[in-house]
Amino acid sequence: MGSDIQTPDRAGLTDLGREPVLRKKLQKIMASVDHVVGYVPMHNARFRQLTLIIAMLALIVGVYFSFRAQPDLFRQANMGPIVILVLFAVPLTIYFNALEFVLSARLIGHKIGLKAAAEISIIGGVANMLPLPGGVIVRVAALKAEGASVARSTSVMAFVAFIWAAVSFGYSGAWLASGGAIGFGLLFIVLGCMGVIGCFALSIQLLDDHVITAQLFACKAGLVLVDAFRLYLCLLALGVAADFGQASVLTVSGFVGSSFSLVPAGLGIREGISALLGPLVGLTAAAAFLASAANRIVGLMVSAPLAALLAWKVGQQAKAGAA
């Protein structure tokens, strides 16, 4: 029987042989992902309860080390913005993250409730604290538990990441340009527009559902706006005289930080990018850095008790199911 792969000459593999080789490599990668995902039984209530308890403890540890790194961060802070941050802005972020996952599942033909999606988002947020793309693995495992293939689940997570990049760069670029940093602003806007065009082209050609793609863009836009509001509140809490536009410029650092999966939760990356962007719109590097650090710490402080509450509820459901 003849092989599809031709014998390579001095120039390497021929065009006919390259496609099967690439396909085999992709199949090996997907098999590896499937193997890893198999160790994350998201359909098991006891496993989810244990994971949420670990999540709560990990978040508490994260808050502790964050305070150790910035011990004076909230010593002279204005409490009004922090109260709004804790009671409104951070829960709104969790809501948008959950809605994003609901829409992601719907994009590949599966239904996940908002409550379950919020649980997965919190677990995924803690998994991101590991030096690997833990949040993606948790979400792929949850979709697989609903019957989706690993390939489709991984693809939709990558697609949503591209949407996030497009929205973040476009939004931040608009505020950069209006703040006087026209060169960087236009560059970011071009990147954002290219991302929007690319995502809708992929959606129409491959996914055949531009409506849910538009909903995902709206959801990500809401998430980015909430992140800008959180950063604005953090600047006010730290006594920095800033406006909403200056805080908005820093939002792109969230995407950039998340892209560095080898650094737990992009720790230090987001703050560093914020410190670089801040001076472009009149903020000091220190103010931008500290606002991003404060945003991270408050997010961890709110997520920890929510993880504990979800763990208790999952445990009660498991007991009811056993009885």
Side-chain angles (χ1 to χ4, degrees):
M1 183 179 291
S3 173
D4 290 333
I5 302 177
Q6 296 184 5
T7 304
D9 55 16
R10 292 181 182 178
L13 291 173
T14 64
D15 289 340
L16 291 174
R18 187 177 288 112
E19 185 180 350
V21 169
L22 289 174
R23 190 186 302 122
K24 286 182 179 179
K25 287 183 178 179
L26 286 172
Q27 287 172 347
K28 285 185 69 175
I29 291 170
M30 286 302 172
S32 300
V33 173
D34 193 19
H35 182 70
V36 172
V37 168
Y39 290 104
V40 189
M42 294 300 295
H43 60 279
N44 187 295
R46 289 295 182 188
F47 173 82
R48 296 204 318 275
Q49 183 187 28
L50 178 61
T51 305
L52 285 163
I53 292 171
I54 294 171
M56 178 192 66
L57 296 175
L59 289 167
I60 292 171
V61 170
V63 171
Y64 170 74
F65 280 108
S66 297
F67 271 118
R68 278 194 61 181
Q70 303 286 341
D72 300 321
L73 190 58
F74 293 116
R75 192 158 293 175
Q76 295 180 331
N78 300 320
M79 293 307 298
I82 293 177
V83 171
I84 299 172
L85 194 62
V86 169
L87 297 180
F88 176 70
V90 175
L92 198 56
T93 298
I94 295 171
Y95 166 77
F96 274 113
N97 278 327
L99 181 60
E100 174 203 302
F101 190 66
V102 170
L103 291 171
S104 301
R106 195 178 298 169
L107 192 61
I108 54 175
H110 294 274
K111 289 185 178 181
I112 293 179
L114 196 61
K115 180 182 172 184
E119 179 185 311
I120 292 162
S121 296
I122 291 174
I123 295 173
V126 176
N128 276 334
M129 298 175 72
L130 300 171
L132 48 85
V136 173
I137 291 173
V138 167
R139 287 170 173 83
V140 169
L143 288 172
K144 185 183 177 184
E146 296 296 323
S149 69
V150 171
R152 285 176 65 81
S153 302
T154 305
S155 297
V156 79
M157 291 298 104
F159 183 67
V160 171
F162 281 124
I163 291 176
W164 185 15
V167 173
S168 295
F169 277 101
Y171 180 76
S172 181
W175 284 107
L176 274 170
S178 66
I182 297 175
F184 279 106
L186 289 177
L187 175 62
F188 280 24
I189 290 170
V190 168
L191 290 173
C193 290
M194 289 173 61
V196 172
I197 294 169
C199 287
F200 272 103
L202 279 173
S203 174
I204 293 169
Q205 293 296 322
L206 301 179
L207 300 172
D208 196 27
D209 198 330
H210 57 278
V211 175
I212 296 180
T213 299
Q215 292 173 340
L216 276 167
F217 265 102
C219 179
K220 273 300 184 186
L223 197 55
V224 169
L225 280 170
V226 172
D227 193 36
F229 182 55
R230 285 175 57 172
L231 288 162
Y232 176 59
L233 290 172
C234 288
L235 287 166
L236 294 181
L238 296 170
V240 178
D243 58 42
F244 183 76
Q246 290 172 307
S248 294
V249 168
L250 308 181
T251 55
V252 73
S253 64
F255 169 76
V256 176
S258 299
S259 301
F260 287 83
S261 59
L262 292 180
V263 180
L267 190 62
I269 303 295
R270 173 167 191 166
E271 290 83 353
I273 297 296
S274 295
L276 290 174
L277 291 173
L280 296 177
V281 287
L283 292 172
T284 65
F289 184 95
L290 291 174
S292 288
N295 190 21
R296 181 192 298 277
I297 291 171
V298 173
L300 291 173
M301 291 174 66
V302 174
S303 297
L306 285 176
L309 177 63
L310 284 171
W312 177 78
K313 283 194 171 183
V314 170
Q316 293 298 109
Q317 291 171 357
K319 288 179 182 178

